[in-house]
Amino acid sequence: MRLRLLLARVWPLWSIKGLAYSEDAQHGDAELDSTEMGLLRPRDSDVRAAAKATIDAMNDKFYDSSKASWSPSEPWWLSGVALSSVIEYMRKTGTNDYVDQVKHIIQTQRGNLSWWPQGNGDFRADSTDDTGWWALAMVAMYDLTQDQTYLNISIEDEAYIYSYWTDKPCGGGIYVDIKKKTYKNAIANELYIKLAASLHNRINGDTEYLAKAEKAWSWFKGSGMINGDNLINDGLISSSSGACSNNKLPIWTYNQGVILGGLVELFIATQNTSYLDAASTIAGAVLSSPLLVQNGTLTEYSCGTSSASSSSSSSSASSSSSSSSSSSSSSSSAGPKTDESLCNTDQQIFKGIFAANLAALDAYAVAGGNSRPYASFLAQNAQTAYALDRRAGFVVVAANSTSTSSTNTTNSTGTGTGTGTGTGTGAGQRLAADLYDVGWAGPFRNATLAKQASVLGLLVATL
Ligand SMILES: *[C@@H]1O[C@H](CO)[C@@H](O)[C@H](O)[C@H]1NC(C)=O
Ligand SMILES: *[C@@H]1O[C@H](CO)[C@@H](O)[C@H](O)[C@H]1NC(C)=O
Ligand SMILES: *[C@@H]1O[C@H](CO)[C@@H](O)[C@H](O)[C@H]1NC(C)=O
Ligand SMILES: *[C@@H]1O[C@H](CO)[C@@H](O)[C@H](O)[C@H]1NC(C)=O
Ligand SMILES: *[C@@H]1O[C@H](CO)[C@@H](O)[C@H](O)[C@H]1NC(C)=O
Ligand SMILES: *[C@@H]1O[C@H](CO)[C@@H](O)[C@H](O)[C@H]1NC(C)=O
Ligand SMILES: *[C@@H]1O[C@H](CO)[C@@H](O)[C@H](O)[C@H]1NC(C)=O
Ligand SMILES: CC(=O)N[C@H]1CO[C@H](CO)[C@@H](O)[C@@H]1O
């Protein structure tokens, strides 16, 4: 049963269970939908409204405009990932809601980094993966605006990252940590492949970036990082002879994700379906893993099954650096129930990165004659997160306020009462302020930027 109320303009909601809010961007109208379980209707305006509510809450709770980043005390790369999702939201919905904020972030963050001035700005950081996240955000911004300024920044970043490629050890690959040059890992190389192939697809007549992307993928494929289960461990360990092998460090979801996006870009560049086949093999291995997908929900199982210690890589902002070294590799039997509340702030964002890149593959892959083979998985995860992992709430904005400075965030989950009046103009406007925790199957306890941006990645993936 659905109750539909068309209101004259975007109107606040009280996100009590069973009420989902949706907004018709075309007409500026809003509707309130009553559904049995507060479920989203995938691929329509409900998901768009849920994604927007997630961005608004992320801004309200975590954005520091004076520092031009979200949660400035947390790792810098997280804001780069969040930025990509906000840009993708605008591109997919054909809106410009956050473009001023995004430009402010880029303008500030591309400055000479106080903690790594050696890079001379434009996102050239002390680890190649950190540069990679921001460079991909610049590619997304180019796609949104067609402004060459942004592509030029990502071109500079590619050169910077590639300068940390060496043939020895390991027969190739990019170092993740610029200061120590000790660790060739999955994420730095996956980001590089995606970036180089993305540049090729956006630069007329390019041959250089395609050749480099193909070289990097060819190396990656044979490097040993992809294990016998077609899942990717954290990185490589080198012997004194210069030979390298899989270091058996955890199978993080984002390491199964970014490579999918890179292989899709390589397919777009070449129309060679071998890239889609390789991506589909990895994606299939994730979706059929009882550890990474528990009861249908993508799960960062390594957080909960290992004693957090280790600093095998030393990049402070590199997620891999803070990962544990518990060695168990994936097996076919389900382990103990994962406790994702043990995920550190880096690890909390990983699943959203996987989802975003799985969506990129979904747009091109065909499985068993069916297009969009991963859409139902993504939609199911979005439903789960929306229904079980969300703290519904709202922000009260004073009627005469032009900003959210006078906000008062509260929550009304399950009460059905709310606290605002919901009457017409003048009483103040209430905007959705949904927050999310780390485990997509819930429960909600508290939010962080990384948890929030992870779900944002998931919701934008289903748009
Ligand atoms: C960045 O800062 C460093 C150290 O202060 C300085 O040497 C360098 O010239 C600066 N680079 C730019 C592009 O401003
Ligand atoms: C981008 O870089 C090219 C080559 O360096 C330069 O000619 C062009 O002016 C740049 N465009 C912008 C908008 O910065
Ligand atoms: C497609 O790529 C694969 C592996 O990279 C290569 O072996 C094959 O020759 C390519 N096919 C074509 C038609 O170029
Ligand atoms: C599995 O997921 C379904 C919904 O998809 C839920 O109803 C059920 O409670 C879950 N089971 C467990 C054991 O979490
Ligand atoms: C709203 O207007 C009232 C009356 O002019 C004023 O007292 C109040 O400070 C205003 N609030 C904001 C947030 O601007
Ligand atoms: C927020 O709103 C609640 C309910 O109206 C009120 O009791 C509380 O004092 C407000 N908090 C702040 C910080 O304004
Ligand atoms: C958030 O919830 C987790 C899991 O219950 C808990 O360990 C952590 O201390 C909480 N953090 C805050 C800031 O409340
Ligand atoms: C997550 C959260 O903040 N939940 C709170 C929502 O409001 C109820 C009633 O005030 C509290 O009991 C919850 O702790």
Side-chain angles (χ1 to χ4, degrees):
M1 182 194 71
R2 278 173 47 187
L3 170 70
R4 172 170 292 204
L5 296 171
L6 286 176
L7 302 176
R9 64 187 190 86
V10 175
W11 191 247
L13 73 151
W14 39 109
S15 298
I16 54 177
K17 202 159 191 169
L19 269 186
Y21 174 80
S22 69
E23 176 191 334
D24 182 334
Q26 204 100 49
H27 301 101
D29 292 342
E31 60 185 75
L32 291 173
D33 285 337
S34 171
T35 58
E36 296 303 313
M37 295 294 293
L39 296 181
L40 299 164
R41 291 163 299 156
R43 294 190 186 286
D44 76 4
S45 57
D46 264 13
V47 182
R48 188 167 60 200
K52 184 167 174 50
T54 305
I55 296 172
D56 290 342
M58 183 168 83
N59 280 338
D60 183 57
K61 188 150 176 78
F62 301 112
Y63 187 63
D64 181 335
S65 63
S66 71
K67 301 256 173 61
S69 69
W70 293 277
S71 290
S73 63
E74 297 204 37
W76 183 66
W77 75 281
L78 299 174
S79 275
V81 174
L83 187 71
S84 279
S85 291
V86 172
I87 293 168
E88 276 294 280
Y89 168 84
M90 289 192 283
R91 188 183 64 78
K92 286 185 164 187
T93 59
T95 58
N96 274 316
D97 299 0
Y98 306 99
V99 89
D100 291 341
Q101 179 190 11
V102 165
K103 286 180 177 173
H104 178 55
I105 292 169
I106 293 169
Q107 196 53 41
T108 305
Q109 299 301 331
R110 73 179 286 200
N112 210 347
L113 298 168
S114 59
W115 42 273
W116 191 247
Q118 297 93 320
N120 290 311
D122 283 353
F123 308 110
R124 291 167 293 194
D126 62 347
S127 68
T128 52
D129 57 347
D130 281 14
T131 298
W133 298 113
W134 287 92
L136 288 174
M138 293 308 100
V139 172
M141 190 60 175
Y142 172 73
D143 289 348
L144 179 71
T145 63
Q146 299 299 306
D147 183 338
Q148 184 71 27
T149 305
Y150 303 112
L151 201 65
N152 278 6
I153 298 172
S154 62
I155 288 169
E156 282 183 286
D157 291 338
E158 184 279 337
Y160 184 71
I161 297 171
Y162 189 72
S163 71
Y164 293 93
W165 173 286
T166 62
D167 290 337
K168 288 179 183 165
C170 311
I174 283 161
Y175 284 115
V176 62
D177 189 278
I178 284 172
K179 292 183 229 173
K180 293 190 180 167
K181 298 197 189 79
T182 51
Y183 188 30
K184 291 184 173 177
N185 73 354
I187 197 60
N189 285 282
E190 294 182 23
L191 286 164
Y192 180 74
I193 292 165
K194 185 173 180 182
L195 176 61
S198 296
L199 290 182
H200 170 81
N201 290 332
R202 287 157 181 81
I203 297 173
N204 286 334
D206 167 73
T207 54
E208 175 197 347
Y209 297 116
L210 177 58
K212 285 155 95 180
E214 286 181 316
K215 177 176 84 166
W217 162 245
S218 171
W219 170 79
F220 187 93
K221 190 170 52 167
S223 70
M225 276 187 277
I226 306 177
N227 67 31
D229 296 331
N230 296 308
L231 295 170
I232 300 169
N233 291 87
D234 195 69
L236 296 174
I237 187 166
S238 60
S239 68
S240 49
S241 71
C244 295
S245 58
N246 188 314
N247 67 8
K248 309 277 178 63
L249 284 171
I251 297 162
W252 302 113
T253 57
Y254 79 153
N255 277 330
Q256 325 309 309
V258 175
I259 194 64
L260 306 182
L263 289 164
V264 167
E265 291 287 343
L266 277 169
F267 168 72
I268 293 168
T270 63
Q271 298 298 308
N272 184 332
T273 54
S274 76
Y275 297 118
L276 291 184
D277 293 343
S280 298
T281 299
I282 295 165
V286 172
L287 268 56
S288 62
S289 162
L291 298 173
L292 293 166
V293 177
Q294 297 182 6
N295 194 25
T297 304
L298 186 66
T299 304
E300 202 63 54
Y301 86 90
S302 291
C303 302
T305 54
S306 55
S307 52
S309 60
S310 165
S311 55
S312 54
S313 121
S314 48
S315 158
S316 62
S318 164
S319 53
S320 48
S321 64
S322 46
S323 63
S324 100
S325 57
S326 159
S327 65
S328 67
S329 76
S330 137
S331 77
S332 56
S333 65
K337 187 163 164 37
T338 302
D339 182 0
E340 291 182 87
S341 71
L342 298 175
C343 289
N344 70 27
T345 187
D346 284 326
Q347 296 154 4
Q348 288 164 4
I349 205 173
F350 289 176
K351 299 194 301 294
I353 293 165
F354 176 83
N357 284 282
L358 186 66
L361 177 59
D362 188 55
Y364 291 92
V366 175
N370 297 319
S371 60
R372 296 210 165 263
Y374 308 111
S376 62
F377 175 80
L378 290 167
Q380 175 62 38
N381 274 264
Q383 291 285 5
T384 299
Y386 188 80
L388 302 177
D389 185 33
R390 182 175 54 115
R391 189 210 69 167
F394 54 84
V395 180
V396 178
V397 184
N400 56 354
S401 168
T402 54
S403 74
T404 55
S405 59
S406 59
T407 58
N408 178 352
T409 304
T410 181
N411 81 79
S412 58
T413 305
T415 68
T417 60
T419 54
T421 65
T423 62
T425 57
Q429 191 174 347
R430 293 185 301 176
L431 301 172
D434 296 3
L435 293 171
Y436 291 87
D437 206 323
V438 61
W440 290 351
F444 179 87
R445 288 163 302 221
N446 54 51
T448 63
L449 166 63
K451 296 170 181 180
Q452 187 77 2
S454 186
V455 171
L456 178 61
L458 170 66
L459 292 173
V460 172
T462 67
L463 282 172

